[in-house]
Amino acid sequence: MDDLLKMPIPFKTRQELAAGAPSGFLSIGHRGASGHAPENTRLAMDTAVRLGAQWVEFDVQRHGDTLLVFHDDRLDRTTDGQGRLLEQSLETIRQLDAGRGETIPTLQEMLDHIDRRVGVNIELKSFGGTAAAVASVLREYVDQRGWVPDQFLVSSFHLRELREFRRLAPMIPTAVLLCGVPLDLAACAAEIGAVAINLASDFVDAELVADARSRGLKVYVYTVNDQDDIEQLRACGIDGVFTDYPERAVFVDRAA
């Protein structure tokens, strides 16, 4: 593992990414390679790339006019800070250690760091303006910084927020996050124009998956770390998994 983590990071052109994403069985680094490095940090994203992930996923919350890459409501679990994220000043937040000397990045810092090496799934963690702020940033990165829309996938549990994102940036693909089996199956995703459902591993229901397929939707499953489980999901036609250990999904796909 140590030798693997020292390998140079491969660079993929935007043409290579656009040609192959999202398609095939994807290894999506959950908050980067968070089984190996502090979650939602630049180090975690670099590690995911080195381990072969085709995509990475990270969380975004709005803190005033700033979009921060961070998952929890509170700082305690993943940093040396305490208290609620939104109750701390931006100056304080930016000085925290998020693990192994990493800091909490902004969305723009994270995108600049990833620099189109892999596809990016952005989860909208907060609501009340997060969608609009993220849409503004991603439009800039598409229009001015060489990214293409298919290098992004924006997801959320907040369907109203996701619908607002779709209204403001219709060219960028979206996915509905599900932690259960809706009564109308995958209809909610189709109704807002999503291209995929991101489904919790405990709710991989055959009827839901079949309904998503019938509507032309991809199905990605989170968060799957056991290699046997990854193999079973690939065998039943799931399109990819979010995993803390991206190399496990890469191994399963190459061994198939």
Side-chain angles (χ1 to χ4, degrees), residues 87-162:
E87 292 177 356
Q88 309 302 315
S89 70
L90 185 60
E91 181 181 6
T92 296
I93 291 169
R94 298 285 276 164
Q95 292 175 354
L96 296 176
D97 187 334
R100 293 165 65 175
E102 291 289 303
T103 57
I104 298 173
T106 66
L107 172 59
Q108 292 92 328
E109 287 170 347
M110 187 65 90
L111 293 178
D112 290 343
H113 187 78
I114 292 170
D115 194 25
R116 299 172 292 153
R117 289 176 286 155
V118 289
V120 172
N121 183 165
I122 298 168
E123 180 180 345
L124 308 177
K125 288 299 294 183
S126 56
F127 53 96
T130 302
V134 172
S136 177
V137 170
L138 298 193
R139 287 198 309 266
E140 176 188 346
Y141 274 71
V142 169
D143 294 342
Q144 302 176 25
R145 305 204 181 191
W147 291 68
V148 295
D150 283 348
Q151 290 174 290
F152 295 113
L153 184 65
V154 173
S155 61
S156 185
F157 288 103
H158 300 282
L159 296 188
R160 290 177 61 188
E161 201 76 2
L162 205 56

Side-chain angles (χ1 to χ4, degrees), residues 1-10 36 46-47 49-51:
M1 178 61 69
D2 289 342
D3 289 341
L4 184 58
L5 297 181
K6 293 176 183 177
M7 291 170 58
I9 300 171
H36 299 291
D46 285 346
T47 306
V49 173
R50 288 185 174 110
L51 294 174

Side-chain angles (χ1 to χ4, degrees), residues 65-91:
D65 294 329
T66 304
L67 292 165
L68 296 173
V69 177
F70 198 75
H71 178 271
D72 294 1
D73 292 334
R74 297 185 61 88
L75 296 163
D76 309 57
R77 182 178 66 87
T78 60
T79 78
D80 59 353
Q82 294 183 333
R84 294 188 176 279
L85 175 75
L86 298 183
E87 292 177 356
Q88 309 302 315
S89 70
L90 185 60
E91 181 181 6

